[in-house]
Amino acid sequence: MNRLYRTFNVGESAPRFALNSLTLGVLLSSASPMAYAVQTELPATSVTTFEALGYQADQATVAGFESAPLLDTPAAITVFTDALIADQQARLLSDVLKNDASVGESYAPVGYYENFVVRGFSLNSASSYKINGRTITGEQNVGLENKQQVELLKGLAGLQSGVSEPGGVVNYVTKRAADVRSVTVSTDDRGSGYLATDVGGWFGSEQQFGLRVNLAHEDIHSYVQHANGQRDFASVAFDWNISPNALLQLDVEYQNKEQRSVPGYQLLGGTDLPHHASPKKLLAHQSGSKPVTIDSLNLNGNFEYRFSDTLKASLSASRSKVIIDDYSSFAWGCYGSDSCAGSAVPNYFSPEGNYDIYDFRSPDDTRRNDEIQAALSGQFDTGSLSHELTVGTSAFRRVVDQRELINEMIGSGNIDSEPEAFPRYTGAVNDSYRRLDSRQYSVFFNDRISFNDQWQTVLGGREVRLDERTFDDQGDTTRHTQRYEFLPQAALIYKPMQNLSLYTRYSKGLSLGGEAPWFASNAFEILAPSVSRQIEAGIKYDWQRMSVSATLFQIRQDYQYARPNDDASFTFVQQGEQKNMGLELAANGQATDRLHVFASVAAIRSRVTGSGTPEYEGHQTINVPTLRASLYGDYALPWIEGLALLGGVQYSGKKYANQQGAVEVGSYAIFNIGSRYSTRIDGYDTVFRLTIDNLFDKRYWRDVGEYMGDNYLFQGAPLTARLSASINF
């Protein structure tokens, strides 16, 4: 542990965990007394647990400051349980979020960290991802082995998160201590290997201490040529019931992932889709390039003290740090082609399919988020009104340390052939410097007022003080933003029946400014924050063992983009407005005794106005289809005990692949099937799982978005089969 601490404070090379079967076996053996500890009654203050029936959850924390029933929460929330994650053998967040139709991918290349678009707005790596309610750096692929559930709040979260994107927030909830001891092994049709263990228990004279340990090692055999990799993961969760009124929870997780980043395609001549493109081909492959290495450490702690049945206080703190070493080669543009000579910034492949190959160097790219929050929650009455009030304060800091990027063109290639090997850049890397220092200080309140059994209102707000500086490589300040912003949230809830809820909500948000792409005239400039507003109305109905919902929303935000200039150059600006309107439908639960469904539909209209670039307006925005749908089912066969059939489909309508709305990729439907068989072998509970994704081996463009000014097109994965076995000891 001292090694980990030193690594992320003095910049040493992060430790590499060699997790193998021997390591896991030793851990299991050493932990067996703990795992077999006798379960006794816990003190009054105990670890929060989440009730879930299969894929259905009844509460979440992402929309407030503590766990609350979904039916009583005036927001659109999707909860993905550990059962769903296990059955789909999910390894990445994209494997989880595909189950919600409001979510799409937005620059999520194989081998790199992922980005997403929710309700037509991109999430932000600086503020859109949390673990146990505390913000983490999003430039990582968070391990799922120790996650109890993944929560998605769709829409503005200014009250809950302060500065955040209008699309939504993803919150990972970690597993808590439990008497468990299991091992999971897995492989796929390409020969990947996966080994994970989950060990936990309660110990101490009064069983007041709880521990949960998760370890995993993965050898990744990618469907893309030359893009194999590996991943090591380790986490520890500690729970201490200090007294009947005091609870301490600590979490630490570390992950190292190494895999070559896979560049996407670009439009041919800026106007045509590449033909006969293969998802298995690695463009711009150079044998001298290295896999991208991402080391991540997430620390999280929470102390809770209950003064009475109606009053409690909490103090939580977190640190999230990611170090990215990137020595890759990638395909971009066509400066080296004669047919592109007339363009000042040819941000596309040539009409003949030629592309430039760049030697990219960005070692020790460091992102760190630190956060602390104190809150006081109480219940009381004022006359006939009942209150559930939370007040608190928080402080958040994000720093980015980088070296000046090395981005050298070394040659050219063609999409139809393997590129030749070019001499690599031999110059020295630049010194590291502080790129961004962003600080937020907030006070907040949230009051749920009950007038009677039918009517409630939720009133809250957060006063944010943002103090943000950007720097150049000489250490000089290039921008200093000091801003105060009050972010209100107001909701009205009507419950004509105990299992039926109707609500309307207004929210205001503040988002960090985007960063200009490297080819813009103001390259790497980070713009000032922008304001967003949302109105939302929804209905939620719990019918027998099914939960159904419908949501209408409208979100407005300042538009940020690379504006084309008269001289064919680009300048990254904040100008105009993007307005997204949509309808979301969802159903989750047991349709019958044997059938569980997880379904959603999202229809979104996304438009830009006032941008100063008329060709970017009057049509659907880039990479946002007007319609998405997702369906997943679990059917327990009546004639074979323990056997269930799994399967579903993800549908996406057509979407534009450029800002002008001149190039469109087709709609697609991806079918997935699988099975789960639960049995006992030699007295041990054992579960076998088989999943086959993209059953018909569909070729499709899953992501045609824009990221940092780069318009890339990424193909979906081909047919992939996975087989796993989990044994509980």
Side-chain angles (χ1 to χ4, degrees):
M1 210 46 217
N2 290 335
R3 169 69 173 171
L4 278 178
Y5 181 84
R6 291 197 308 270
T7 295
F8 288 91
N9 282 273
V10 300
E12 299 175 12
S13 300
R16 305 289 193 253
F17 292 149
L19 301 184
N20 49 41
S21 57
L22 177 61
T23 305
L24 298 175
V26 171
L27 176 68
L28 292 172
S29 299
S30 63
S32 58
M34 175 187 66
Y36 282 116
V38 178
Q39 181 94 19
T40 63
E41 185 177 353
L42 295 177
T45 300
S46 59
V47 178
T48 301
T49 59
F50 292 81
E51 296 294 331
L53 180 62
Y55 305 152
Q56 187 178 16
D58 62 0
Q59 58 184 339
T61 60
V62 68
F65 300 100
E66 58 187 57
S67 181
L70 296 176
L71 187 66
D72 297 331
T73 303
I77 299 171
T78 304
V79 179
F80 312 93
T81 65
D82 61 336
L84 179 67
I85 294 171
D87 280 348
Q88 297 185 346
Q89 302 188 64
R91 299 282 188 270
L92 298 168
L93 183 58
S94 56
D95 299 328
V96 178
L97 296 184
K98 70 180 182 182
N99 296 286
D100 193 295
S102 296
V103 183
E105 293 179 67
S106 179
Y107 195 82
V110 172
Y112 211 60
Y113 60 85
E114 300 178 309
N115 297 271
F116 300 92
V117 57
V118 182
R119 289 184 169 180
F121 289 97
S122 295
L123 301 186
N124 191 312
S125 299
S127 59
S128 298
Y129 303 91
K130 299 175 178 291
I131 293 179
N132 296 333
R134 302 278 67 81
T135 307
I136 63 171
T137 57
E139 296 89 349
Q140 59 177 302
N141 294 306
V142 176
L144 300 175
E145 285 79 9
N146 68 327
K147 304 304 187 294
Q148 182 68 30
Q149 60 187 41
V150 178
E151 304 168 346
L152 171 65
L153 169 64
K154 291 174 283 188
L156 266 67
L159 170 62
Q160 299 83 1
S161 305
V163 178
S164 61
E165 294 302 306
V169 170
V170 175
N171 181 47
Y172 300 89
V173 179
T174 58
K175 297 176 181 177
R176 305 313 319 165
D179 288 323
V180 61
R181 198 172 68 159
S182 70
V183 171
T184 298
V185 295
S186 174
T187 188
D188 60 27
D189 57 328
R190 295 181 294 274
S192 300
Y194 176 79
L195 178 64
T197 183
D198 186 1
V199 179
W202 291 93
F203 58 98
S205 59
E206 299 179 354
Q207 301 287 282
Q208 72 271 34
F209 301 110
L211 199 64
R212 190 81 172 253
V213 179
N214 290 91
L215 296 177
H217 174 76
E218 184 177 12
D219 288 319
I220 306 169
H221 289 192
S222 175
Y223 61 87
V224 182
Q225 300 170 354
H226 315 296
N228 293 344
Q230 65 177 18
R231 177 177 70 95
D232 292 312
F233 175 83
S235 71
V236 178
F238 175 74
D239 300 299
W240 181 14
N241 288 287
I242 303 172
S243 74
N245 298 318
L247 169 66
L248 176 65
Q249 296 177 317
L250 301 174
D251 289 89
V252 56
E253 61 182 63
Y254 169 82
Q255 181 170 266
N256 169 264
K257 185 176 181 181
E258 298 179 357
Q259 189 175 10
R260 196 172 260 113
S261 178
V262 178
Y265 287 79
Q266 291 186 302
L267 295 175
L268 304 185
T271 58
D272 297 310
L273 293 170
H275 302 294
H276 310 295
S278 172
K280 302 179 181 180
K281 186 178 182 64
L282 177 63
L283 298 178
H285 171 58
Q286 299 290 296
S287 59
S289 65
K290 300 179 181 179
V292 176
T293 299
I294 303 178
D295 283 302
S296 59
L297 177 69
N298 300 310
L299 305 173
N300 197 301
N302 180 69
F303 174 75
E304 181 179 297
Y305 188 83
R306 188 175 297 276
F307 299 96
S308 68
D309 292 340
T310 59
L311 182 64
K312 69 176 182 179
S314 63
L315 177 65
S316 59
S318 67
R319 164 165 286 193
S320 177
K321 189 167 185 177
V322 173
I323 300 177
I324 305 172
D325 285 330
D326 194 345
Y327 291 83
S328 60
S329 58
F330 69 93
W332 187 93
C334 56
Y335 283 98
S337 298
D338 294 338
S339 56
C340 300
S343 177
V345 185
N347 185 11
Y348 46 80
F349 292 176
S350 78
E352 305 81 22
N354 297 326
Y355 59 83
D356 298 334
I357 300 176
Y358 287 84
D359 192 339
F360 183 80
R361 307 288 177 93
S362 180
D364 303 320
D365 185 350
T366 304
R367 320 293 174 101
R368 192 186 80 232
N369 288 5
D370 296 309
E371 187 175 20
I372 186 170
Q373 176 176 291
L376 183 67
S377 301
Q379 302 176 18
F380 60 93
D381 297 331
T382 56
S384 61
L385 304 180
S386 298
H387 298 261
E388 298 177 24
L389 176 64
T390 298
V391 297
T393 183
S394 67
F396 173 82
R397 185 186 185 192
R398 175 174 171 87
V399 296
V400 177
D401 294 326
Q402 293 178 314
R403 301 173 187 266
E404 185 177 351
L405 304 180
I406 294 173
N407 194 31
E408 294 289 330
M409 179 179 169
I410 58 175
S412 298
N414 187 275
I415 60 175
D416 294 323
S417 61
E418 189 77 10
E420 62 179 283
F422 297 102
R424 303 220 54 197
Y425 173 78
T426 57
V429 296
N430 300 305
D431 294 331
S432 181
Y433 68 99
R434 177 64 42 89
R435 181 74 180 87
L436 172 72
D437 191 335
S438 181
R439 308 185 188 204
Q440 300 172 39
Y441 307 95
S442 305
V443 292
F444 57 84
F445 75 95
N446 188 61
D447 190 10
R448 179 186 294 269
I449 306 172
S450 299
F451 301 96
N452 50 44
D453 292 338
Q454 287 78 42
W455 291 95
Q456 297 178 344
T457 185
V458 181
L459 302 175
R462 179 184 289 262
E463 178 70 24
V464 176
R465 178 181 180 267
L466 178 66
D467 190 346
E468 185 173 85
R469 295 176 183 265
T470 60
F471 308 91
D472 59 21
D473 58 355
Q474 302 301 311
D476 297 325
T477 301
T478 56
R479 176 176 61 82
H480 185 196
T481 298
Q482 291 180 304
R483 182 167 181 172
Y484 289 86
E485 197 77 39
F486 180 68
L487 307 177
Q489 179 177 292
L492 182 65
I493 305 171
Y494 174 56
K495 298 184 69 174
M497 299 182 293
Q498 186 177 4
N499 60 340
L500 176 64
S501 174
L502 295 87
Y503 73 90
T504 182
R505 179 167 69 109
Y506 168 80
S507 306
K508 179 182 178 182
L510 185 67
S511 305
L512 295 176
E515 182 176 346
W518 62 275
F519 57 81
S521 59
N522 56 338
F524 306 116
E525 178 184 353
I526 300 176
L527 301 185
S530 62
V531 172
S532 53
R533 293 175 173 83
Q534 173 186 270
I535 54 174
E536 179 176 311
I539 180 171
K540 300 180 181 182
Y541 181 46
D542 288 349
W543 176 72
Q544 296 183 354
R545 292 169 295 180
M546 286 286 295
S547 297
V548 297
S549 65
T551 309
L552 288 168
F553 68 87
Q554 176 185 283
I555 304 175
R556 298 174 180 264
Q557 187 188 39
D558 298 332
Y559 186 52
Q560 300 180 111
Y561 75 113
R563 184 189 62 201
N565 302 318
D566 293 337
D567 61 356
S569 65
F570 291 86
T571 303
F572 192 67
V573 298
Q574 188 178 106
Q575 183 176 344
E577 181 183 73
Q578 180 177 343
K579 182 174 76 172
N580 292 5
M581 303 172 59
L583 169 65
E584 299 165 333
L585 306 174
N588 182 21
Q590 288 189 258
T592 69
D593 289 339
R594 296 185 173 275
L595 177 62
H596 197 146
V597 297
F598 197 106
S600 62
V601 178
I604 299 175
R605 183 182 188 271
S606 179
R607 296 290 189 272
V608 172
T609 58
S611 68
T613 307
E615 48 272 33
Y616 288 14
E617 302 178 9
H619 54 78
Q620 192 81 349
T621 58
I622 185 174
N623 200 35
V624 181
T626 56
L627 183 66
R628 275 198 183 95
S630 177
L631 172 65
Y632 190 79
D634 176 339
Y635 181 69
L637 295 177
W639 54 85
I640 303 178
E641 185 178 357
L643 181 62
L645 297 182
L646 315 173
V649 59
Q650 281 87 43
Y651 170 81
S652 173
K654 299 177 180 179
K655 51 191 177 183
Y656 291 121
N658 63 356
Q659 285 91 341
Q660 297 90 339
V663 184
E664 191 176 63
V665 298
S667 60
Y668 62 83
I670 304 301
F671 293 86
N672 312 306
I673 64 170
S675 63
R676 181 189 63 248
Y677 180 56
S678 303
T679 185
R680 289 183 66 85
I681 299 178
D682 292 335
Y684 298 115
D685 292 331
T686 304
V687 181
F688 297 95
R689 293 180 174 91
L690 172 67
T691 60
I692 302 176
D693 296 331
N694 195 358
L695 176 65
F696 301 110
D697 203 21
K698 175 78 172 178
R699 297 290 184 266
Y700 64 100
W701 298 104
R702 61 172 172 84
D703 175 10
V704 293
E706 180 269 343
Y707 179 75
M708 294 285 293
D710 294 335
N711 293 86
Y712 277 120
L713 301 91
F714 293 96
Q715 291 185 296
L719 184 150
T720 302
R722 288 195 183 99
L723 178 65
S724 71
S726 298
I727 303 173
N728 297 311
F729 295 92

